[in-house]
Amino acid sequence: MEGSKSIFLFMFQPREITPLMYQIWLQKYNIKSKDYPVFKNISSSWHKPPLISIIMPVYNPDRKHLIEAIKSVQKQVYPHWQLCIADDASSETSGIKDILRAYEQKDYRIKVTFRSCNGHISAASNSALSLATGEFVALLDHDDVLHPLALWFVAESIVKNPNVGLIYSDHDKLSFDGKRYDPYFKCDFNLELMFTHNLVAHFSCYRLNLVNEIGGLREGFEGAQDYDLALRCIELLAADQIIHIPYVLYHWRMSNTSTSFTLKAKPYAATAAIKSVSDYLKRNNLPGRVVPHPELEGMNRIEPEFSSSSLPLVSIIIPTRNRLDLLKPCLDSIYSMTTYPSYEIIIVDNASTDPETKEFLTHLEQKGVNIIRDEGIFNYSRLNNLAAKEANGDLLCLLNNDTQIITPHWLEEMVFFAIKSDVGVVGAKLFYLDNRIEHCGVILGLSIHGIAGHSFDSLLPEEPGYMGRAKLQQEISAVTGACQLVRKSVFWGVNGLDESLAVNYNDIDFCLRVRRAGYRNILTPFAQLYHVRSASRGQDSTPEKFSRFEQEIEFMQQRWGYLLLKDPFYSSNLSLENDYTLAFPPRNS
């Protein structure tokens, strides 16, 4: 019966990764030391195994923790490494220098330089960097610990991806008593998320000539020097040169002097982080103002800034049928709340029969609102395509009639991203009428049908979600069609919505086709609306509707197949049954 108890635990996880649940997960899925020889045999067959130089700046660490950090390198299954240590003038009485000299004498792979004066972490890191002779360099703090397979997985990524420039992994933390907790299961590289915090962080590894090309770590960015390094490297790399390893390879020690425990340990770090992102935007001529996140300490957010006073026209397309009780509050909220000055509204009336609704639409038409009348069977894709053909705007906003505006600047937030040349579809954060979250992006594979589901569904509004992602700007695979903004050129570049999908998944399919065309889809949580969800057309409760629903599921499975289980913006270590909880088992194979 123990097995049944475990299954029960996995099925009903709390919507957070508790230390206990993480320990259970590690016991089941952490790679066992008895399997290390298998990995060693694999790497011994590699034709040109890369040398990896580990950079470690040192300044008066806890002696025990320093020794553990060095030993974690020596215990690496992958043997082709060197440890480059720069002591940043640790005090003579600390005994640190004696420890470093002893390790250097015992292991030829360890190189140490002793700085004559303290220059802080950037200068010390550059001193360590000058010792490196490897093709790649990795960063290790003087009191943290590497997983025994950390360098093996990095080396494997290099062997499989010869042009790689940056590799990063997942990480967790070490408690004061040495227990692993608080894992950060990251997504594949996500530039918008990177702007909010250092997604790369631990464990990160860079091509040495790339780091040398940009001049190493910059002084004046202490506290976020690794963040700044990553951003400066990223701008020189193509997307396929940045590799994410979905394994926890780095254990970040909690201490009173580390931001792993409290951001108050390094109050200057948040300022340096904002400076790092601001510099990135300036170097790349990107608009926006980087400010501290209004709710999440240590996180950033980019406020919209427009380079021109002439804002593009947005065509807001609202399909409807009867239900004046939904349509009128939707329109009232747009007219009374929206601060964006340049928009038009197009209403697609799908065979309304209600006299009040018809009278209301006639009244709107007389006031100059474009009313398109369609007498066909409900097909969401067809209705939006019809309106898109008549839209005057360069931007199309697909909006459900059962939505209401919450934040007056919702369009500014969305337009800011949508006008960027590399951006496709932009989505908003939606709430149920009781203020619980209804939509904060879409996760592929998250549903009993294996197609897609809304992330953070029913989460309370004040909750940040896993690693703050319910409140952070980020790239995402797809967003709901209840509120989507896209350039008209992008919309028609992929032939609009697919009318084979009349009701379900047309929004997901559209977003995936936009991504396939080379664009990035973005979710901004600062554009907020209420959404009643399926109020206008109802649920798929009749046999006819259920049959159509099954056909749409089959359509998506045939078109997208395995991609639906490989969302690049959602970790394979997280569940597809209950979002942002642990996957039993992980999908890393």
Side-chain angles (χ1 to χ4, degrees), residues 385-406:
N385 288 343
L386 282 173
K389 291 174 183 176
E390 294 196 21
N392 295 309
D394 291 330
L395 295 169
L396 305 178
C397 177
L398 312 189
L399 189 68
N400 277 20
N401 67 344
D402 55 356
T403 57
Q404 295 177 36
I405 310 305
I406 297 174

Side-chain angles (χ1 to χ4, degrees), residues 56-76:
M56 181 193 286
V58 169
Y59 179 69
N60 287 338
D62 180 287
R63 292 161 55 113
K64 177 173 176 279
H65 294 164
L66 173 63
I67 291 171
E68 286 183 19
I70 294 173
K71 285 186 175 181
S72 77
V73 177
Q74 291 181 312
K75 291 177 182 177
Q76 289 298 301

Side-chain angles (χ1 to χ4, degrees), residues 218-385:
R218 288 201 291 180
E219 295 184 43
F221 288 81
E222 284 77 12
Q225 72 288 333
D226 53 345
Y227 194 8
D228 176 64
L229 175 71
L231 287 167
R232 287 156 57 225
C233 286
I234 285 162
E235 67 189 52
L236 300 178
L237 297 172
D240 61 359
Q241 292 181 287
I242 304 172
I243 303 295
H244 167 234
I245 301 173
Y247 291 94
V248 174
L249 302 182
Y250 192 103
H251 313 305
W252 190 11
R253 190 179 299 279
M254 184 168 68
S255 73
N256 291 322
T257 59
S258 172
T259 52
S260 63
F261 177 57
T262 172
L263 293 170
K264 293 181 176 64
K266 297 178 181 178
Y268 52 86
T271 301
I274 289 175
K275 183 180 176 184
S276 298
V277 180
S278 297
D279 270 21
Y280 179 97
L281 297 183
K282 289 176 185 176
R283 287 193 306 271
N284 292 278
N285 197 29
L286 295 173
R289 189 166 73 96
V290 188
V291 298
H293 194 286
E295 298 177 74
L296 302 179
E297 187 180 19
M299 299 282 193
N300 314 317
R301 91 90 130 192
I302 297 181
E303 290 184 340
E305 283 186 336
F306 297 96
S307 57
S308 171
S309 57
S310 177
L311 297 173
L313 178 67
V314 177
S315 297
I316 302 175
I317 297 171
I318 307 174
T320 193
R321 174 183 167 86
N322 297 324
R323 297 307 302 266
L324 183 59
D325 59 315
L326 298 175
L327 178 62
K328 189 174 186 304
C330 173
L331 293 173
D332 287 346
S333 74
I334 294 172
Y335 288 130
S336 65
M337 297 282 287
T338 302
T339 55
Y340 189 85
S342 181
Y343 69 88
E344 66 172 358
I345 291 178
I346 303 173
I347 297 174
V348 189
D349 176 26
N350 183 217
S352 289
T353 56
D354 172 60
E356 279 191 75
T357 301
K358 293 173 74 173
E359 182 181 351
F360 179 74
L361 292 175
T362 299
H363 174 69
L364 289 177
E365 195 168 28
Q366 291 170 350
K367 294 180 68 174
V369 176
N370 187 356
I371 309 295
I372 299 173
R373 290 178 171 80
D374 178 88
E375 299 300 320
I377 297 172
F378 177 79
N379 183 309
Y380 179 84
S381 298
R382 187 188 73 252
L383 298 177
N384 280 283
N385 288 343

Side-chain angles (χ1 to χ4, degrees), residues 502-518:
V503 178
N504 295 288
Y505 303 126
N506 39 57
D507 48 359
I508 310 304
D509 174 75
F510 173 65
C511 287
L512 293 181
R513 286 186 287 117
V514 167
R515 284 200 71 236
R516 188 172 61 186

Side-chain angles (χ1 to χ4, degrees), residues 21 25 43-44 66 68 77 105 113 126-127 168 178 242 298 308 316 331 388 404 518 551:
M21 189 58 69
W25 190 87
S43 59
S44 66
L66 173 63
E68 286 183 19
V77 171
Q105 290 171 3
T113 184
N126 286 334
S127 294
Y168 69 100
I242 304 172
S308 171
I316 302 175
L331 293 173
Q404 295 177 36
Q551 291 172 16

Side-chain angles (χ1 to χ4, degrees), residues 10-252:
F10 304 156
M11 288 177 63
F12 297 97
Q13 295 181 66
R15 204 162 184 172
E16 61 178 313
I17 299 176
T18 64
L20 174 60
M21 189 58 69
Y22 185 46
Q23 289 301 316
I24 293 172
W25 190 87
L26 286 174
Q27 289 171 18
K28 288 183 69 67
Y29 303 118
N30 195 37
I31 299 171
K32 306 297 187 291
S33 58
K34 66 180 178 62
D35 296 321
Y36 291 170
V38 176
F39 290 86
K40 186 168 287 188
N41 289 338
I42 293 172
S43 59
S44 66
S45 68
W46 292 339
H47 176 53
K48 289 184 178 180
L51 177 64
I52 301 170
S53 300
I54 300 170
I55 305 305
M56 181 193 286
V58 169
Y59 179 69
N60 287 338
D62 180 287
R63 292 161 55 113
K64 177 173 176 279
H65 294 164
L66 173 63
I67 291 171
E68 286 183 19
I70 294 173
K71 285 186 175 181
S72 77
V73 177
Q74 291 181 312
K75 291 177 182 177
Q76 289 298 301
V77 171
Y78 183 74
H80 305 289
W81 56 263
Q82 64 174 182
L83 177 57
C84 303
I85 301 174
D87 177 74
D88 198 23
S90 294
S91 61
E92 295 294 337
T93 57
S94 66
I96 297 301
K97 294 180 180 180
D98 292 337
I99 292 172
L100 297 179
R101 289 190 185 100
Y103 273 100
E104 184 179 31
Q105 290 171 3
K106 291 177 184 177
D107 195 328
Y108 74 93
R109 297 171 297 181
I110 298 177
K111 298 182 178 183
V112 183
T113 184
F114 295 93
R115 292 172 52 83
S116 58
C117 62
N118 180 266
H120 216 313
I121 192 168
S122 295
S125 296
N126 286 334
S127 294
L129 188 65
S130 69
L131 303 175
T133 58
E135 188 181 353
F136 284 80
V137 292
L139 307 182
L140 174 62
D141 287 349
H142 62 197
D143 53 357
D144 294 339
V145 174
L146 294 182
H147 188 284
L149 288 170
L151 295 184
W152 190 94
F153 277 107
V154 168
E156 181 196 38
S157 296
I158 296 168
V159 170
K160 289 184 175 180
N161 305 275
N163 293 322
V164 66
L166 166 58
I167 300 163
Y168 69 100
S169 77
D170 298 346
H171 70 255
D172 60 15
K173 295 177 183 175
L174 287 178
S175 65
F176 285 108
D177 58 359
K179 291 182 180 178
R180 294 172 58 182
Y181 78 110
D182 196 19
Y184 188 176
F185 292 123
K186 305 171 187 176
C187 61
D188 287 352
F189 186 67
N190 188 325
L191 184 60
E192 263 63 36
L193 197 59
M194 183 74 181
F195 290 155
T196 69
H197 68 288
N198 188 359
L199 172 67
V200 170
H202 308 304
F203 182 44
S204 57
C205 183
Y206 302 82
R207 190 175 291 275
L208 177 58
N209 61 13
L210 175 63
V211 175
N212 287 334
E213 180 184 345
I214 64 170
L217 290 90
R218 288 201 291 180
E219 295 184 43
F221 288 81
E222 284 77 12
Q225 72 288 333
D226 53 345
Y227 194 8
D228 176 64
L229 175 71
L231 287 167
R232 287 156 57 225
C233 286
I234 285 162
E235 67 189 52
L236 300 178
L237 297 172
D240 61 359
Q241 292 181 287
I242 304 172
I243 303 295
H244 167 234
I245 301 173
Y247 291 94
V248 174
L249 302 182
Y250 192 103
H251 313 305
W252 190 11

